[in-house]
Amino acid sequence: QQSQTTLDSFFDPT
Amino acid sequence: MLEARLQTGALLKKVLEAIKELITDANFDCSDNGIALQAMDNSHVALVALLLRHDGFEPYRCDRSLALGVNLVSLSKVLRCAGNDDIITLKADDTADVLSLTFENTDNDRISEYELKLMDIDSEHLGIPDTTYEAVVQMSSAEFARICKDLQVLSDSVQIDVTKEGVKFGAKGELGSGAVTLKQNGNVDKEEEATLIELQQNVSLNFSLKYLVNFTKATPLASRVSLSMSSEVPLLVEYKMEAGYIRYYLAPKIGE
């Protein structure tokens, strides 16, 4: 089963 | 204050159609440069980044940067009151509590004026790192929309494999499996339909089809779409417009 990642770990708040 | 007049009002209607199901509320950040928007969907799986450059408007005036907090469903409802050929003018003063919209028909004998209440939206702005992608596929946007819709019959997710020969979209589900392969074909007569691949390295990634189908609501904005991919980083799906772009980022699915 694949799990959906989120964008939080890729993009940083500026 | 902001004053932005758009000759082809239909463009704004299409832009709203392309984002309103993914995000509900967002700030339109207005500056010298134009009107920009960046927002993630509620589940933080997808992000939309929109830019309508100042040169797409005539005239465009923005003395001071403004963030216009808009409920996108409400805005799209108001935009439905504009004819497809109408010229649309957006205005907001520095207090930015309402957005004024004026729709003029081409004969200039029907002018409608609407005001949309704005809201305070506390959204964090994300830094999107410059990425050199391992694979960039440029293809017909209509073809991409068709593939996503077709494969959704089979599965919730799609595996995208890019090699120098072509790009393969595959889906497996309870009722069976399916795949569509587009070969790299830069020599076709119709440039708009060509599939072009820039490749540093083969990639194989999995993505949710629900989101991709949602992104393809931008198809009326551009005849071409580009898919930029690297292992384990978000997919970038970009539709370029004459004066701007709409970019969608989608976090990959991982594991077996």
Side-chain angles (χ1 to χ4, degrees):
Chain A
Q1 187 64 43
Q2 290 173 340
S3 60
Q4 176 66 61
T5 60
T6 69
L7 295 173
D8 297 322
S9 53
F10 298 106
F11 300 148
D12 296 324
T14 53
Chain B
M1 74 169 272
L2 168 79
E3 182 178 355
R5 189 166 187 263
L6 194 60
Q7 283 291 334
T8 47
L11 176 82
L12 197 59
K13 293 166 75 116
K14 289 178 194 166
V15 164
L16 260 289
E17 290 304 310
I19 60 178
K20 75 172 166 54
E21 277 173 44
L22 216 50
I23 43 181
T24 49
D25 303 313
N27 281 320
F28 282 89
D29 296 309
C30 308
S31 69
D32 282 354
N33 195 29
I35 300 175
L37 175 151
Q38 190 205 73
M40 277 210 267
D41 82 306
N42 280 336
S43 57
H44 287 206
V45 170
L47 179 142
V48 183
L50 165 75
L51 177 65
L52 301 170
R53 277 200 318 269
H54 65 91
D55 54 298
F57 299 93
E58 179 55 44
Y60 182 85
R61 193 157 74 89
C62 185
D63 312 329
R64 201 169 66 86
S65 294
L66 280 177
L68 308 177
V70 173
N71 176 280
L72 298 178
V73 174
S74 306
L75 177 57
S76 83
K77 280 182 187 164
V78 171
L79 286 172
R80 264 182 236 148
C81 306
N84 270 331
D85 299 324
D86 283 2
I87 297 166
I88 297 183
T89 305
L90 307 174
K91 279 187 194 170
D93 61 26
D94 288 345
T95 56
D97 50 6
V98 291
L99 173 66
S100 307
L101 300 106
T102 307
F103 309 144
E104 298 165 69
N105 68 352
T106 38
D107 291 337
N108 200 22
D109 59 4
R110 183 182 192 275
I111 295 157
S112 45
E113 293 171 290
Y114 294 86
E115 278 193 348
L116 185 69
K117 286 180 190 161
L118 296 176
M119 53 208 280
D120 278 325
I121 298 171
D122 189 20
S123 68
E124 52 179 18
H125 203 265
L126 295 170
I128 298 168
D130 273 334
T131 307
T132 308
Y133 290 95
E134 291 165 353
V136 179
V137 178
Q138 292 181 55
M139 61 186 285
S140 147
S141 63
E143 181 64 65
F144 179 60
R146 181 184 169 190
I147 291 170
C148 293
K149 195 169 131 270
D150 287 352
L151 294 181
Q152 206 179 19
V153 171
L154 291 159
S155 176
D156 295 338
S157 38
V158 61
Q159 179 173 329
I160 306 179
D161 295 305
V162 191
T163 65
K164 67 177 189 303
E165 281 81 32
V167 54
K168 181 179 171 190
F169 300 85
K172 275 184 203 151
E174 280 174 23
L175 70 92
S177 64
V180 181
T181 303
L182 299 178
K183 292 182 183 169
Q184 166 141 249
N185 60 353
N187 296 325
V188 294
D189 296 339
K190 291 182 186 165
E191 223 171 89
E192 299 230 314
E193 291 171 15
T195 302
L196 304 172
I197 296 170
E198 292 162 53
L199 194 74
Q200 316 294 323
Q201 199 176 317
N202 291 355
V203 296
S204 177
L205 287 160
N206 291 281
F207 298 102
S208 158
L209 275 168
K210 181 183 76 176
Y211 283 94
L212 293 178
V213 167
N214 218 320
F215 300 170
T216 63
K217 294 192 189 303
T219 308
L221 288 165
S223 61
R224 306 282 292 161
V225 63
S226 71
L227 314 176
S228 301
M229 286 163 278
S230 284
S231 296
E232 294 179 11
V233 306
L235 163 74
L236 164 59
V237 179
E238 181 176 28
Y239 295 84
K240 279 201 176 88
M241 298 178 272
E242 211 170 285
Y245 58 76
I246 181 157
R247 292 177 183 157
Y248 300 96
Y249 293 86
L250 179 60
K253 286 186 154 190
I254 54 165
E256 275 306 310

